[in-house]
Amino acid sequence: MNKEPINNLIKSAIKAYHNAYAPYSKFSVGAAVLDENGSIYNGCNVENAAYPSGSCAEEQAIGNMIANGGKLIREIVIIGISDKLITPCGACRQRIREFSDKDTIIHIHHIEQGLQQSFKLDELLPYSFGPENL
Ligand code: THU
């Protein structure tokens, strides 16, 4: 899949990246979601001295979408600095799943090197369990 995310989505993820609160891991992550109406919502990881209370960038961005009335993730950009891909953790794959359809795209971006890889949710979470399975 070669579709580049729109510039404003990347910019929004970069902005969130710079505001990430990651004093413990020192691994900042930014995310931005594009919803069904073309609105953009961002989020960053927010760590905590009680480590398990920290949250992921994707989690914050999705929560922000829901709080503002968005219903569907058309695209999500995840941005950071790493030699390896910053693919969403297992819990965040499931969070993305809740608000995705078969066309949802997950873009993994390096803040300096640009787009690294794009995925359909099915590639990251095959045979997933979602609202229709209940
Ligand atoms: N993290 C994210 O926010 N998103 C990801 O996709 C991978 C990991 C955060 C969680 C934690 O604050 C830090 O990165 C190191 O795991």
Side-chain angles (χ1 to χ4, degrees), residues 21-31 43-48 51 54-59 78-79 85-89 92 108:
Y21 180 74
Y24 307 108
S25 71
K26 311 231 181 314
F27 191 83
S28 294
V29 183
C44 59
N45 53 337
V46 183
E47 297 183 349
N48 194 280
Y51 296 171
S55 51
C56 287
E58 299 90 323
E59 185 178 355
I78 300 151
I79 216 154
L85 294 178
I86 307 180
T87 42
C89 74
C92 283
I108 314 300

Side-chain angles (χ1 to χ4, degrees), residues 8-22 28-33 40-46 57-58 60-61 64 77 79-80 111:
N8 284 348
L9 195 61
I10 298 167
K11 274 193 197 149
S12 183
I14 291 174
K15 184 175 178 203
Y17 167 89
H18 287 297
N19 288 323
Y21 180 74
S28 294
V29 183
V33 168
I40 289 172
Y41 314 89
N42 64 6
C44 59
N45 53 337
V46 183
E58 299 90 323
Q60 297 290 341
N64 199 2
V77 170
I79 216 154
I111 209 156

